[in-house]
Amino acid sequence: MPLATDTMRSHFPALREGAAHFDAPGGSLVPAVVAQAVADTLASAVNQRGTFTVADRRTTEVVRNARLAVADLLGADPGGVVFGRSMTQLTFDFARALAKTWNPGDEIVVTRLDHDANVRPWVYAAESAGATLRWVDFDPETSELTVADVEAQLTDRTRLVAITAASNLIGTRPPIKQIAEKVHARGALLYVDGVHHSAHAFVDIAEIGADFYACSPYKFCGPHVGVVAASPSLLETLNPDKLLPSANTVPERFELGTPSWELMAGTTAAVDFLAGVGGPSNAPRRERLASSMAVIAEHEDALRDFIEAELAQHPRITIYSRAQDRTPTLLFTVDGMDSCEVSSRLGELNINVPASNFYAIEASRRLGLGDAGGLRIGLAPYSSADDADRLLAGLRSII
Ligand SMILES: Cc1ncc(COP(=O)(O)O)c(C=O)c1O
């Protein structure tokens, strides 16, 4: 079933502002149902979790529903779904908690393809534990990061590998499942950054072998909040710093302070919204999500292929997104023009194409783009052929 673009777009109030949005990898727009769920939760009586009052029970229910929703989205155990302010904050927290289990001489592996949120927390954590940091590179010519690239950095001292499921800069999807097998064969853990990947694919964390899987609902039509999913039994082995009286149960022990109930409710609404994209059905939500994400991927990939083919014909444009398996995200530069200038001139035409290293700073440097990065075209379920035409016409008028 092809995605019904007009119906899809009608759900997003922000589209009425008239911009053509290619900025979803920085944060997608939100459908009205998600905004409503956040507002409704804020406008209702919620308090702390408990059973004595309506407010207590409602709060408990909001949390329960949010964990169930994320579990359906990722194929996770709801008892291992941890909410936090952002993926960055959660990864710093998990890195600190995991570092308590490392010894001097242990080895931690990070990649130059990753967003810095899945690099720097491990750099600091390794340093604090006296562990050795090892780097995996990707090939800037092909954009690929291979199993062999990771394997070359694994030893019997490897304790953890942190790697992205998809690069937010160039879209590359490394072969996570095969990488997980190699990592587990060494007895190490795999921490997967699924922030960019989760917006574009059906995820099954057990299938791919992620011990920890991080994502951010604001990248898939939800509110600004972060999530890490892991098995409850693995979480039980970790002892993060926490307040003495706060719950020591899993996953609560990882959620410092009072969580944002309204954003949890918004996350549930976002997952329900995505589950509905594949059309009405009585199938369980996870099955509907599988169909929906296939519909979304087909729509986004077709638009990406169209845009990419047009860009490729322009002699002054260089495209850096070259991996075989990748998201609908294109990084490019224009010869002789500053990316920020191109972005700003497109912005004057109400076309949102940001320019940056997008915090994938190691990847940007590896590509030879320094800290400036390039222009990023990112697609979302609400992206349309008309948006693509506006973009290409806008670019033609500028370069
Ligand atoms: C691939 C990737 N990882 C991590 C992050 C950081 O996520 P958060 O903003 O939730 O900390 C981002 C944000 O852009 C991202 O794209």
Side-chain angles (χ1 to χ4, degrees):
M1 183 195 96
L3 188 140
T5 314
D6 288 347
T7 310
M8 172 60 77
R9 289 173 69 83
S10 70
H11 291 291
F12 291 84
L15 287 175
R16 289 185 214 132
E17 291 177 22
H21 284 273
F22 294 95
D23 49 8
S28 60
L29 301 178
V30 163
V33 282
V34 169
Q36 196 59 51
V38 174
D40 286 350
T41 307
L42 281 170
S44 64
V46 281
N47 195 263
Q48 295 293 336
R49 282 162 283 190
T51 52
F52 298 155
T53 69
V54 170
D56 294 348
R57 288 192 289 276
R58 181 178 291 125
T59 312
T60 304
E61 199 57 13
V62 164
V63 176
R64 195 180 98 84
N65 288 339
R67 297 205 205 285
L68 285 169
V70 171
D72 277 352
L73 184 76
L74 305 178
D77 184 324
V81 173
V82 180
F83 276 83
R85 183 165 51 77
S86 63
M87 179 276 185
T88 303
Q89 174 249 305
L90 284 168
T91 304
F92 267 111
D93 287 353
F94 272 97
R96 276 189 289 260
L98 281 152
K100 292 185 189 186
T101 70
W102 302 337
N103 294 309
D106 283 348
E107 296 179 3
I108 307 306
V109 179
V110 293
T111 90
R112 289 208 168 82
L113 185 64
D114 272 80
H115 185 288
D116 214 49
N118 202 29
V119 175
R120 222 51 53 185
W122 306 111
V123 172
Y124 289 125
E127 212 172 87
S128 74
T132 304
L133 194 76
R134 297 179 73 124
W135 289 88
V136 178
D137 262 323
F138 68 98
D139 183 341
E141 291 307 315
T142 61
S143 308
E144 303 283 6
L145 189 153
T146 66
V147 182
D149 293 333
V150 177
E151 210 179 357
Q153 300 304 328
L154 301 179
T155 73
D156 289 339
R157 296 301 307 263
T158 309
R159 299 296 309 279
L160 180 132
V161 174
I163 188 167
T164 190
S167 157
N168 65 309
L169 188 69
I170 50 178
T172 302
R173 286 184 173 122
I176 294 294
K177 188 174 152 68
Q178 290 91 313
I179 289 170
E181 282 161 15
K182 301 290 180 197
V183 171
H184 292 152
R186 298 282 187 165
L189 293 169
L190 188 69
Y191 191 100
V192 176
D193 175 356
V195 173
H196 184 59
H197 179 66
S198 310
H200 306 290
F202 182 62
V203 178
D204 190 328
I205 59 173
E207 225 285 293
I208 60 174
D211 297 298
F212 300 90
Y213 186 94
C215 65
S216 303
Y218 76 95
K219 308 288 191 183
F220 52 81
C221 303
H224 291 88
V225 64
V227 175
V228 168
S231 80
S233 57
L234 175 57
L235 294 179
E236 288 290 355
T237 65
L238 297 175
N239 293 295
D241 294 342
K242 61 174 278 301
L243 303 185
L244 186 61
S246 68
N248 198 30
T249 47
V250 162
E252 290 79 10
R253 89 168 62 139
F254 296 91
E255 295 174 331
L256 303 180
T258 303
S260 172
W261 317 127
E262 60 274 19
L263 302 187
M264 285 184 166
T267 300
T268 306
V271 172
D272 282 331
F273 176 79
L274 288 177
V277 170
S281 155
N282 292 325
R285 183 167 53 191
R286 181 142 173 86
E287 277 176 35
R288 287 185 285 126
L289 282 162
S291 319
S292 296
M293 295 315 290
V295 169
I296 289 171
E298 197 185 326
H299 170 77
E300 293 176 344
D301 288 352
L303 267 183
R304 177 202 59 196
D305 291 349
F306 168 68
I307 294 169
E308 189 174 357
E310 295 287 318
L311 295 186
Q313 286 181 15
H314 201 292
R316 285 174 59 205
I317 288 181
T318 305
I319 302 173
Y320 299 86
S321 304
R322 299 170 187 154
Q324 287 288 319
D325 187 6
R326 57 192 160 89
T327 59
T329 300
L330 293 170
L331 185 80
F332 71 102
T333 52
V334 181
D335 190 27
M337 277 184 91
D338 182 74
S339 294
C340 285
E341 189 199 336
V342 178
S343 177
S344 138
R345 293 194 41 200
L346 286 171
E348 284 162 20
L349 301 171
N350 220 5
I351 301 166
N352 296 11
V353 179
S356 172
N357 59 52
F358 304 101
Y359 281 22
I361 193 156
E362 301 287 348
S364 177
R365 290 174 182 173
R366 177 99 182 117
L367 288 168
L369 297 172
D371 293 358
L375 291 139
R376 184 177 65 184
I377 295 171
L379 299 173
Y382 47 78
S383 301
S384 67
D386 181 54
D387 286 340
D389 289 341
R390 280 173 68 185
L391 168 68
L392 296 169
L395 277 171
R396 272 193 297 272
S397 71
I398 290 168
I399 62 179

